Amino acid sequence: MDAFTAGLLQRIKTTEYDLTRARETGDDFLADVEQSELEDLHRLAAEHGVEIGATSV
């Protein structure tokens, strides 16, 4: 796995965690921000042929 793929997968994992925390604490604004970030990361992964697997929230 190259550095780009590893970094992207780590960012997705971190963003999923942050999204879950935002939802758990009831921070709707932060949840929206994290959800948008996650969608952007998924789009970037798809554009570069990076398989994400079952890591979605």
Side-chain angles (χ1 to χ4, degrees), residues 9-26:
L9 292 174
Q10 181 59 47
R11 285 183 62 197
I12 289 171
K13 182 177 178 180
T14 299
T15 303
E16 288 174 339
Y17 174 80
D18 292 344
L19 175 57
T20 299
R21 296 277 303 176
R23 287 177 176 165
E24 287 174 350
T25 60

Side-chain angles (χ1 to χ4, degrees), residues 1-56:
M1 178 180 311
D2 62 28
F4 173 78
T5 300
L8 183 58
L9 292 174
Q10 181 59 47
R11 285 183 62 197
I12 289 171
K13 182 177 178 180
T14 299
T15 303
E16 288 174 339
Y17 174 80
D18 292 344
L19 175 57
T20 299
R21 296 277 303 176
R23 287 177 176 165
E24 287 174 350
T25 60
D27 190 336
D28 294 335
F29 176 76
L30 183 57
D32 287 345
V33 170
E34 297 297 345
Q35 182 64 47
S36 293
E37 176 71 10
L38 189 57
E39 290 168 4
D40 287 344
L41 292 170
H42 279 218
R43 179 191 47 77
L44 186 62
E47 288 175 359
H48 292 276
V50 175
E51 296 247 353
I52 297 170
T55 61
S56 62

